[in-house]
mmCIF file of all heavy atoms in Angstrom:
data_model
loop_
_atom_site.group_PDB
_atom_site.id
_atom_site.type_symbol
_atom_site.label_atom_id
_atom_site.label_comp_id
_atom_site.label_asym_id
_atom_site.label_seq_id
_atom_site.Cartn_x
_atom_site.Cartn_y
_atom_site.Cartn_z
ATOM 1 N N ILE A 1171 20.757 -10.332 9.038
ATOM 2 C CA ILE A 1171 21.670 -10.833 8.044
ATOM 3 C C ILE A 1171 22.976 -10.124 8.184
ATOM 4 O O ILE A 1171 23.092 -8.919 8.326
ATOM 5 C CB ILE A 1171 21.065 -10.479 6.635
ATOM 6 C CG1 ILE A 1171 19.782 -11.305 6.310
ATOM 7 C CG2 ILE A 1171 22.090 -10.793 5.565
ATOM 8 C CD1 ILE A 1171 19.144 -10.973 5.067
ATOM 9 N N ILE A 1172 24.008 -10.964 8.045
ATOM 10 C CA ILE A 1172 25.386 -10.421 7.962
ATOM 11 C C ILE A 1172 25.968 -10.954 6.534
ATOM 12 O O ILE A 1172 25.993 -12.126 6.370
ATOM 13 C CB ILE A 1172 26.337 -10.913 9.006
ATOM 14 C CG1 ILE A 1172 25.773 -10.590 10.387
ATOM 15 C CG2 ILE A 1172 27.672 -10.259 8.790
ATOM 16 C CD1 ILE A 1172 25.726 -9.208 10.716
ATOM 17 N N ALA A 1173 26.167 -10.064 5.559
ATOM 18 C CA ALA A 1173 26.650 -10.422 4.298
ATOM 19 C C ALA A 1173 28.012 -9.958 4.085
ATOM 20 O O ALA A 1173 28.327 -8.767 4.452
ATOM 21 C CB ALA A 1173 25.651 -9.860 3.223
ATOM 22 N N GLY A 1174 28.845 -10.675 3.429
ATOM 23 C CA GLY A 1174 30.229 -10.246 3.221
ATOM 24 C C GLY A 1174 30.294 -10.113 1.592
ATOM 25 O O GLY A 1174 30.017 -11.003 0.805
ATOM 26 N N ASN A 1175 30.587 -8.820 1.280
ATOM 27 C CA ASN A 1175 30.856 -8.532 -0.176
ATOM 28 C C ASN A 1175 32.339 -8.527 -0.437
ATOM 29 O O ASN A 1175 33.084 -7.595 -0.037
ATOM 30 C CB ASN A 1175 30.199 -7.251 -0.482
ATOM 31 C CG ASN A 1175 30.500 -6.748 -1.918
ATOM 32 O OD1 ASN A 1175 31.000 -7.465 -2.674
ATOM 33 N ND2 ASN A 1175 30.160 -5.429 -2.212
ATOM 34 N N CYS A 1206 29.380 -13.210 -0.716
ATOM 35 C CA CYS A 1206 29.216 -12.687 -2.094
ATOM 36 C C CYS A 1206 30.628 -12.696 -2.786
ATOM 37 O O CYS A 1206 31.283 -11.641 -2.759
ATOM 38 C CB CYS A 1206 28.572 -11.395 -2.191
ATOM 39 S SG CYS A 1206 26.898 -11.406 -1.438
ATOM 40 N N ILE A 1257 23.549 -8.928 -5.352
ATOM 41 C CA ILE A 1257 23.689 -7.539 -5.021
ATOM 42 C C ILE A 1257 23.363 -6.734 -6.246
ATOM 43 O O ILE A 1257 23.826 -7.065 -7.278
ATOM 44 C CB ILE A 1257 25.100 -7.199 -4.407
ATOM 45 C CG1 ILE A 1257 25.428 -7.968 -3.241
ATOM 46 C CG2 ILE A 1257 25.257 -5.699 -4.227
ATOM 47 C CD1 ILE A 1257 26.819 -7.838 -2.697
ATOM 48 N N HIS A 1260 25.173 -1.552 -6.182
ATOM 49 C CA HIS A 1260 26.297 -1.186 -5.335
ATOM 50 C C HIS A 1260 26.852 0.139 -5.832
ATOM 51 O O HIS A 1260 26.899 0.331 -7.070
ATOM 52 C CB HIS A 1260 27.327 -2.259 -5.282
ATOM 53 C CG HIS A 1260 28.363 -2.037 -4.150
ATOM 54 N ND1 HIS A 1260 29.377 -1.049 -4.251
ATOM 55 C CD2 HIS A 1260 28.451 -2.577 -2.847
ATOM 56 C CE1 HIS A 1260 30.025 -1.018 -3.100
ATOM 57 N NE2 HIS A 1260 29.415 -1.939 -2.266
ATOM 58 N N ILE A 1289 19.780 -7.865 -3.125
ATOM 59 C CA ILE A 1289 20.184 -6.963 -2.021
ATOM 60 C C ILE A 1289 20.464 -5.641 -2.723
ATOM 61 O O ILE A 1289 21.420 -5.449 -3.518
ATOM 62 C CB ILE A 1289 21.489 -7.475 -1.328
ATOM 63 C CG1 ILE A 1289 21.261 -8.872 -0.827
ATOM 64 C CG2 ILE A 1289 22.007 -6.447 -0.288
ATOM 65 C CD1 ILE A 1289 22.520 -9.543 -0.276
ATOM 66 N N CYS A 1291 21.356 -1.845 -3.112
ATOM 67 C CA CYS A 1291 22.179 -0.881 -2.345
ATOM 68 C C CYS A 1291 21.738 0.611 -2.667
ATOM 69 O O CYS A 1291 21.399 0.926 -3.862
ATOM 70 C CB CYS A 1291 23.601 -1.026 -2.700
ATOM 71 S SG CYS A 1291 24.275 -2.709 -2.317
ATOM 72 N N ALA A 1330 20.150 -2.367 1.265
ATOM 73 C CA ALA A 1330 21.442 -2.059 2.078
ATOM 74 C C ALA A 1330 21.704 -0.586 1.927
ATOM 75 O O ALA A 1330 21.927 -0.126 0.874
ATOM 76 C CB ALA A 1330 22.539 -2.925 1.506
ATOM 77 N N GLU A 1332 24.258 2.089 2.267
ATOM 78 C CA GLU A 1332 25.668 2.146 2.230
ATOM 79 C C GLU A 1332 26.138 3.510 1.843
ATOM 80 O O GLU A 1332 26.207 3.859 0.633
ATOM 81 C CB GLU A 1332 26.283 1.166 1.211
ATOM 82 C CG GLU A 1332 26.013 -0.260 1.565
ATOM 83 C CD GLU A 1332 27.058 -1.204 0.982
ATOM 84 O OE1 GLU A 1332 27.333 -1.153 -0.235
ATOM 85 O OE2 GLU A 1332 27.627 -1.989 1.768
ATOM 86 N N LEU A 1374 19.960 -3.416 5.738
ATOM 87 C CA LEU A 1374 21.344 -3.613 6.216
ATOM 88 C C LEU A 1374 22.170 -2.283 6.121
ATOM 89 O O LEU A 1374 21.924 -1.473 5.264
ATOM 90 C CB LEU A 1374 22.110 -4.683 5.379
ATOM 91 C CG LEU A 1374 21.367 -6.078 5.180
ATOM 92 C CD1 LEU A 1374 22.212 -6.915 4.290
ATOM 93 C CD2 LEU A 1374 21.041 -6.658 6.551
ATOM 94 N N TYR A 1375 23.127 -2.266 6.980
ATOM 95 C CA TYR A 1375 24.018 -1.063 6.952
ATOM 96 C C TYR A 1375 25.379 -1.559 6.397
ATOM 97 O O TYR A 1375 25.835 -2.629 6.710
ATOM 98 C CB TYR A 1375 24.342 -0.469 8.296
ATOM 99 C CG TYR A 1375 25.431 0.522 8.237
ATOM 100 C CD1 TYR A 1375 25.281 1.785 7.698
ATOM 101 C CD2 TYR A 1375 26.687 0.169 8.624
ATOM 102 C CE1 TYR A 1375 26.300 2.636 7.567
ATOM 103 C CE2 TYR A 1375 27.851 0.996 8.442
ATOM 104 C CZ TYR A 1375 27.551 2.212 7.905
ATOM 105 O OH TYR A 1375 28.711 3.101 7.777
ATOM 106 N N GLY A 1376 25.947 -0.759 5.561
ATOM 107 C CA GLY A 1376 27.314 -1.066 4.911
ATOM 108 C C GLY A 1376 28.222 0.219 4.906
ATOM 109 O O GLY A 1376 27.689 1.289 4.645
ATOM 110 N N GLY A 1377 29.419 -0.038 5.185
ATOM 111 C CA GLY A 1377 30.360 1.139 5.217
ATOM 112 C C GLY A 1377 31.253 1.134 6.340
ATOM 113 O O GLY A 1377 30.879 1.561 7.440
ATOM 114 N N VAL A 1379 32.070 -1.286 8.308
ATOM 115 C CA VAL A 1379 31.703 -2.123 9.526
ATOM 116 C C VAL A 1379 32.986 -2.965 9.881
ATOM 117 O O VAL A 1379 33.658 -3.573 9.087
ATOM 118 C CB VAL A 1379 30.551 -3.076 9.153
ATOM 119 C CG1 VAL A 1379 30.287 -3.997 10.319
ATOM 120 C CG2 VAL A 1379 29.312 -2.348 8.820
ATOM 121 N N GLY A 1395 21.337 -5.664 10.419
ATOM 122 C CA GLY A 1395 22.502 -6.358 10.140
ATOM 123 C C GLY A 1395 23.374 -5.580 9.186
ATOM 124 O O GLY A 1395 23.211 -4.360 9.013
ATOM 125 N N GLY A 1396 24.349 -6.176 8.539
ATOM 126 C CA GLY A 1396 25.326 -5.394 7.705
ATOM 127 C C GLY A 1396 25.740 -6.114 6.383
ATOM 128 O O GLY A 1396 25.674 -7.308 6.245
ATOM 129 N N LEU A 1397 26.147 -5.232 5.490
ATOM 130 C CA LEU A 1397 26.856 -5.670 4.266
ATOM 131 C C LEU A 1397 28.310 -5.224 4.401
ATOM 132 O O LEU A 1397 28.540 -4.001 4.465
ATOM 133 C CB LEU A 1397 26.144 -4.980 3.108
ATOM 134 C CG LEU A 1397 26.733 -5.341 1.715
ATOM 135 C CD1 LEU A 1397 26.779 -6.842 1.436
ATOM 136 C CD2 LEU A 1397 25.823 -4.702 0.565
ATOM 137 N N VAL A 1398 29.184 -6.173 4.536
ATOM 138 C CA VAL A 1398 30.580 -5.906 5.038
ATOM 139 C C VAL A 1398 31.485 -6.032 3.922
ATOM 140 O O VAL A 1398 31.412 -7.095 3.249
ATOM 141 C CB VAL A 1398 30.896 -6.831 6.215
ATOM 142 C CG1 VAL A 1398 32.300 -6.445 6.780
ATOM 143 C CG2 VAL A 1398 29.871 -6.795 7.275
ATOM 144 N N GLY A 1399 32.422 -5.137 3.663
ATOM 145 C CA GLY A 1399 33.422 -5.261 2.532
ATOM 146 C C GLY A 1399 34.725 -5.782 3.084
ATOM 147 O O GLY A 1399 34.898 -6.907 3.391
#
Side-chain angles (χ1 to χ4, degrees):
I1171 293 178
I1172 306 293
N1175 176 7
C1206 303
I1257 297 174
H1260 193 283
I1289 301 175
C1291 301
E1332 299 205 306
L1374 308 180
Y1375 168 78
V1379 175
L1397 181 55
V1398 185

